[in-house]
Amino acid sequence: MPHADSAFVPQGLDKTQFWQHVFDQLTALLDGQRSWVTNLANASSLIYNSLLAYPAHFGDGERMVNWAGFYLHSSLFPSPKISTQGRTSGPGAGEILLLGPFCGKPACQFINVTPGKSRGVCADAFMQRKTLLVTDVDAYPGHIACDGETKSEIVCPLVLRREDGDVAVGVLDLDCLALAGFTEEDRAGLEKIAQLIVEACDW
Ligand code: SME
């Protein structure tokens, strides 16, 4: 099967079946590859395009999902000096998540996750290691508006389970043009996908 066909979505699926379908397609796409860059690139494309191919819930005009992608802890990136608007990462600059593979319009380059200085849904999900389902982004204190058209959002942390303790490596972020675009079913489906991604990559 051509790789692009993995984003085809059969008709008649309910939400739970839809996310199981995406999970199965992603499992196949990740097979034989441990690079997080490669795997997150395919994961963001698969999630975004599968959502758009599921018009009953996500791909229909005003209800459209408009962004799906990742922010990753800067320690995962090769360069020791990463621009954060005048500062660089490392001592004194605090901790940041950097924009990773995504589908959608351009987004902010980084998100501050320094304790006491952090702001936004991605930072909160990362620091709390908890999925955040935001029904109205304008009502969320500190929300970072990368796209003024976004109305709701869901962010799942990527948490690596290790013998010496859990480590958050980044977040999976989805935005929607509709208020309350995401539900508990989406939370369940995306958390399974986030765990699949974490386990499929070398970090
Ligand atoms: N809204 C996010 C920022 C990332 S964009 O949505 C792609 C936040 O508040 O952290």
Side-chain angles (χ1 to χ4, degrees), residues 87-153:
R87 294 171 299 146
T88 52
S89 62
E95 276 192 76
I96 58 167
L97 304 181
L98 272 168
L99 180 61
F102 72 94
C103 282
K105 291 180 181 172
C108 56
Q109 293 173 351
F110 69 92
I111 286 168
N112 195 331
V113 288
T114 311
K117 295 182 185 168
S118 67
R119 182 169 77 88
V121 189
C122 291
D124 291 348
F126 178 83
M127 295 173 83
Q128 295 168 22
R129 295 179 188 174
K130 188 177 124 189
T131 300
L132 295 179
L133 203 165
V134 179
T135 55
D136 178 358
V137 294
D138 290 334
Y140 191 92
H143 169 257
I144 298 167
C146 291
D147 182 343
E149 293 190 354
T150 295
K151 296 281 194 303
S152 58
E153 180 164 11

Side-chain angles (χ1 to χ4, degrees), residues 15-84:
K15 273 274 190 81
T16 304
Q17 292 168 330
F18 167 79
W19 283 118
Q20 185 60 49
H21 171 77
V22 176
F23 183 95
D24 293 342
Q25 296 300 315
L26 185 56
T27 301
L29 272 179
L30 300 177
D31 186 44
Q33 178 58 257
R34 300 288 306 172
S35 159
W36 64 257
V37 177
T38 303
N39 284 343
L40 298 192
N42 260 341
S44 59
S45 173
L46 178 72
I47 293 167
Y48 183 74
N49 285 292
S50 299
L51 289 165
L52 294 188
Y54 189 43
H57 290 278
F58 295 110
D60 191 14
E62 291 180 2
R63 290 197 61 79
M64 211 181 86
V65 165
N66 57 328
W67 204 88
F70 298 90
Y71 282 89
L72 289 314
H73 194 271
S74 59
S75 61
L76 296 164
F77 290 76
S79 169
K81 292 201 185 300
I82 293 164
S83 173
T84 56

Side-chain angles (χ1 to χ4, degrees), residues 129 157-169 191 195 198-199 203:
R129 295 179 188 174
L158 302 177
V159 181
L160 187 57
R161 315 265 176 223
R162 294 201 313 205
E163 281 180 9
D164 55 346
D166 294 352
V167 180
V169 294
E191 284 181 347
Q195 200 51 41
V198 167
E199 289 168 11
W203 298 98

